[in-house]
Amino acid sequence: MAPLVEPPLLDTLGRPLRNLRVSVTDRCNLRCQYCMPEEDYTWLRRSDLLTFEEIQRLVEVFTDLGVDKVRLTGGEPLLRRDLPDLVRLLSTVAAVQDLAMTTNGVLLVGQAAALRGAGLHRVTVSLDTLRPDRFRALTRRDEHAAVLRGIEAVREAGFEGLKLDSVVIRGVNDDELIDLLEFGRQIRAEVRFIEYMDVGGATHWSREQVVSRAEILERLGVRFGRIEPIREVSSAPAERFRLPDGTTFGIIASTTTPFCRTCDRSRLTADGTWYLCLYAQRGIDLRTPLRDGASREELRALITSGWSRRRDRGAEERKDLEAIGHRGVLIQIEGLKQDPRLEMHTRGG
Ligand code: SF4
């Protein structure tokens, strides 16, 4: 008799649970204007942060229910001490097929080799500009050279599939589309342009500053010639394209062309709150049951119940608001200061 195969866990829109973004800290060593523009925030309590063993335990439960891709995020994940130890623990979870990390790159130089040795598969580095003065203005920190060295360290450590994420903001860095793409080509990294989004920390967001996918393609087309879309079946947020010389790049068009219909991502904050959407205002507390001794079955039941009721389509709803002229800053700074989990940097971008 063939073994029984569990039916996949689906939400109300038929979307499976596959991608888990695990934030390991809400702290960051940059202050990017589209994410974390203030100097100080209400931070998560240290005693509330999940230990590495607790994160591993939750990840195991998530894999029981279909998760096979895990991405470590922050804040800035490399600020969490001994991160390679967490990577080593997660690399032993057999069902995790893809173990990746998104970082701002500042601290990569000292850690890239250890992370690779611990079993991390892939690294994505945020890089919005190639100009040190602009980097300083955008992030309010003088760390551009450290990021470039970090990118080099990723290559030297032997990682495959390096990606560079650039949030494109009109009047800030939209004159660097071509330079960023050329840079990616030189170092064999795939650049992904991200439309400026109106999520939690983007308290200075305005629609006028969004450079749409269509405009990005048009501008790159003028420089490089015919750009072909790459047809692939994927729930990944980036649509991929190819230049005439074979260079590939991605665009994440969450603002103008949301992809909520295929979204299989959820987010675990560093203090164990599980969010089913980047825009969700409420999450599900997994830390309390975990620390109260819940069994694997009990945690599985909690996650199953949350996901099977999921109806989130945050980016699409924001776009609907735009159609009736009501799209503005999502959450004002006062609201963010009261609840740190509303921040994009707390729920891993
Ligand atoms: S807005 Fe929410 S549902 Fe839509 S793609 Fe982003 S995380 Fe997924």
Side-chain angles (χ1 to χ4, degrees):
M1 211 168 87
L4 284 178
V5 179
E6 292 254 348
L9 173 60
L10 302 176
D11 71 6
T12 61
L13 299 176
R15 300 169 294 188
L17 172 63
R18 288 200 61 199
N19 260 288
L20 183 67
R21 297 176 67 100
V22 178
S23 169
V24 294
T25 175
D26 58 334
R27 308 273 171 157
C28 190
N29 42 3
L30 301 181
R31 285 293 179 277
C32 298
Q33 72 179 56
Y34 56 80
C35 176
M36 203 177 187
E38 309 294 315
E39 270 308 320
D40 210 15
Y41 287 87
T42 308
W43 305 105
L44 299 177
R45 287 195 315 199
R46 281 188 192 267
S47 59
D48 286 347
L49 299 190
L50 298 181
T51 65
F52 289 168
E53 288 71 22
E54 288 172 331
I55 293 173
Q56 181 194 27
R57 204 160 153 236
L58 285 178
V59 166
E60 281 171 348
V61 181
F62 276 104
T63 62
D64 288 348
L65 297 167
V67 164
D68 59 3
K69 295 181 179 183
V70 173
R71 177 170 293 273
L72 302 177
T73 68
E76 169 46 42
L78 295 177
L79 286 177
R80 181 84 185 241
R81 192 171 304 157
D82 300 324
L83 193 69
D85 292 347
L86 173 63
V87 170
R88 200 166 290 111
L89 285 178
L90 296 182
S91 71
T92 65
V93 182
V96 176
Q97 305 285 311
D98 185 27
L99 181 56
M101 177 182 71
T102 296
T103 168
N104 63 30
V106 173
L107 298 173
L108 266 173
V109 164
Q111 303 201 47
L115 290 162
R116 174 106 171 102
L120 189 69
H121 299 154
R122 295 188 302 120
V123 177
T124 298
V125 181
S126 302
L127 182 70
D128 301 322
T129 177
L130 295 171
R131 303 185 193 175
D133 55 331
R134 190 171 274 180
F135 182 93
R136 201 177 310 118
L138 190 59
T139 67
R140 284 189 284 137
R141 299 291 187 270
D142 203 4
E143 298 284 10
H144 193 250
V147 175
L148 296 185
R149 283 198 303 271
I151 289 171
E152 194 49 43
V154 171
R155 284 158 28 92
E156 282 167 7
F159 281 100
E160 302 281 334
L162 171 63
K163 293 198 173 81
L164 301 178
D165 277 1
S166 300
V167 176
V168 183
I169 306 178
R170 192 181 307 285
V172 174
N173 65 343
D174 62 319
D175 55 350
E176 289 191 67
L177 297 177
I178 292 163
D179 293 348
L180 285 162
L181 208 47
E182 300 273 15
F183 177 73
R185 176 157 60 183
Q186 274 167 28
I187 65 163
R188 289 210 221 106
E190 188 164 288
V191 174
R192 304 192 310 171
F193 296 113
I194 302 174
E195 288 181 352
Y196 187 19
M197 292 174 73
D198 52 348
V199 280
T203 48
H204 301 297
W205 184 89
S206 77
R207 182 64 180 85
E208 292 66 41
Q209 288 181 294
V210 177
V211 182
S212 68
R213 174 185 62 171
E215 186 177 340
I216 292 171
L217 286 174
E218 191 192 317
R219 291 209 213 167
L220 294 177
V222 169
R223 168 67 178 78
F224 294 106
R226 190 180 148 77
I227 295 173
E228 268 182 53
I230 299 174
R231 310 254 171 240
E232 53 195 353
V233 180
S234 163
S235 66
E239 290 169 83
R240 296 175 69 234
F241 300 88
R242 188 178 287 112
L243 299 180
D245 73 352
T247 303
T248 58
F249 66 98
I251 300 182
I252 301 182
S254 336
T255 302
T256 65
T257 322
F259 33 81
C260 301
R261 289 287 152 172
T262 55
C263 176
D264 56 10
R265 273 174 304 288
S266 64
R267 294 167 159 81
L268 185 66
T269 62
D271 69 343
T273 310
W274 183 42
Y275 283 92
L276 308 187
C277 175
L278 183 55
Y279 286 89
Q281 306 270 328
R282 285 214 191 92
I284 296 171
D285 174 19
L286 298 181
R287 184 188 72 246
T288 304
L290 183 70
R291 290 193 174 166
D292 285 350
S295 66
R296 190 158 171 158
E297 287 66 34
E298 286 166 333
L299 290 167
R300 203 154 50 200
L302 194 57
I303 294 168
T304 301
S305 146
W307 191 261
S308 55
R309 282 184 283 127
R310 177 187 190 238
R311 48 183 66 252
D312 301 73
R313 29 186 293 279
E316 288 180 352
E317 285 168 0
R318 294 293 291 164
K319 188 158 184 254
D320 293 346
L321 279 181
E322 186 177 327
I324 53 171
H326 284 314
R327 188 171 192 165
V329 167
L330 178 66
I331 303 165
Q332 298 297 337
I333 186 70
E334 294 70 32
L336 291 174
K337 284 193 164 160
Q338 279 162 24
D339 184 355
R341 292 182 205 85
L342 293 175
E343 292 283 0
M344 182 165 69
H345 66 252
T346 307
R347 53 179 71 178

